[in-house]
Amino acid sequence: MTQSLVTEDLAAGYGSRAVLHGIDLTVPPGRITAIVGANACGKSTLLRAMSRLLPPRAGRVLLDGKEVHRMPARALARQLGLLPQAPLAPEGITVADLIGRGRHPHHGPFQRWSREDDAAVAAAMEATQTVDLAERAVDELSGGQRQRVWIAMALAQETDVLLLDEPTTFLDVAHQVEVLDLLVDLNAARGTTVVMVLHDLNLAARYAHHLVALAAGRLHSAGPPAAVLTEEMVAHVFGLSARIIRDPVAGTPLMLPIGRHRSGGAGWGS
């Protein structure tokens, strides 16, 4: 069942440093949401607060009307999964063992591994095309392979909501597209609500149904890509002059940055 994720007047930070200020946000259930913004604007902090890794200083985060910071950890982990930025795997662990760890929230103190666990892990590996990697050590894999394995672990958790912090970081463009295509397939097949932090505005606009733009820890705008990815938003959020045109492939907004050397110079074929 698709679940709603909402923040109400959310404020969060680290030590004496305030990062988020009064964030009111409703994540569309069963859709893909991308959070964008300049460096240090609070994107990862928002994801951490939504997953209860970071307690709020004010306000609250609600999952189907329940405050996530008051939910039992195991109960929350059955409903909401998080793939953090640059996760670390135990040295020497195999792909199959790491993916299997996604089943831990479904096990009680004395509950043994079940057929349901086998089926969930097999489905996750099939969806992420990691079956052939099952017996390999995670630390021997390429960046793209490792990211697919981590996503497989999150899929094995079988949550209705999946949060991903920069899932395409350190990947080349081919692997970025591969990972984002995988998330679209997951959303279409399972109806999983996906919330991800992305740096690439154009990939965010192409792959997300819903964009959230943050500026200095505050919500600048949220809505469909065509409504959010505007020249005004790019100027305010990123301090960058840009032109927005229609993506000739996807029909989504496409941002063209304008730098200091925007005119003159050699052209194509020079």
Side-chain angles (χ1 to χ4, degrees):
M1 182 178 67
T2 302
Q3 297 182 318
S4 63
L5 182 62
V6 175
T7 71
E8 295 180 347
D9 197 27
L10 179 65
Y14 308 93
S16 61
R17 183 168 64 93
V19 177
L20 298 179
H21 310 276
I23 302 291
D24 289 312
L25 177 66
T26 298
V27 174
R31 308 292 275 175
I32 297 176
T33 294
I35 303 172
V36 300
N39 290 342
C41 72
K43 300 185 297 297
S44 295
T45 301
L46 176 57
L47 215 64
R48 288 172 60 84
M50 292 170 77
S51 67
R52 99 170 204 167
L53 284 182
L54 185 67
R57 295 184 171 187
R60 57 184 185 165
V61 180
L62 302 175
L63 181 62
D64 259 11
K66 300 176 182 178
E67 288 192 48
V68 300
H69 293 85
R70 297 180 181 271
M71 294 176 65
R74 191 178 296 273
L76 179 63
R78 292 185 186 128
Q79 301 173 59
L80 184 149
L82 170 68
L83 181 59
Q85 192 179 148
L88 297 175
E91 186 176 354
I93 192 172
T94 67
V95 166
D97 286 343
L98 182 64
I99 296 173
R101 293 193 175 198
R103 299 302 298 165
H104 286 181
H106 299 273
H107 293 169
F110 305 106
Q111 189 173 347
R112 294 184 176 181
W113 192 265
S114 67
R115 291 182 180 178
E116 288 78 12
D117 296 321
D118 282 330
V121 170
M125 295 179 74
E126 185 70 29
T128 54
Q129 300 179 27
T130 52
V131 175
D132 294 340
L133 305 175
E135 301 307 317
R136 292 185 58 184
V138 174
D139 49 20
E140 295 176 356
L141 303 179
S142 70
Q145 289 172 325
R146 279 196 302 272
Q147 198 68 334
R148 282 191 283 127
V149 169
W150 283 109
I151 292 174
M153 188 189 77
L155 298 192
Q157 197 173 331
E158 291 189 319
T159 61
D160 290 322
V161 181
L162 181 58
L163 310 181
L164 305 103
D165 193 357
E166 301 186 26
T168 59
T169 299
F170 306 125
L171 300 182
D172 62 40
V173 65
H175 286 113
Q176 290 180 40
V177 170
E178 177 185 345
V179 166
L180 293 172
D181 281 344
L182 169 61
L183 294 174
V184 169
D185 292 341
L186 167 66
N187 171 257
R190 298 189 183 184
T192 303
T193 300
V194 176
V195 183
M196 56 184 174
V197 171
L198 286 181
H199 276 293
D200 190 309
L201 284 175
N202 292 328
L203 287 179
R206 178 178 287 194
Y207 281 93
H209 305 109
H210 190 78
L211 288 188
V212 174
L214 297 184
R218 301 183 186 277
L219 181 65
H220 175 274
S221 50
V228 174
L229 185 49
T230 64
E231 293 174 8
E232 182 277 332
M233 184 277 276
V234 175
H236 186 273
V237 172
F238 295 93
L240 178 69
S241 296
R243 293 291 178 268
I244 306 298
I245 65 172
R246 185 177 184 273
D247 185 327
V249 174
T252 51
L254 183 69
M255 188 274 293
L256 302 178
I258 300 174
R260 290 184 298 107
H261 303 290
R262 61 188 178 272
S263 61
W268 289 107
S270 298

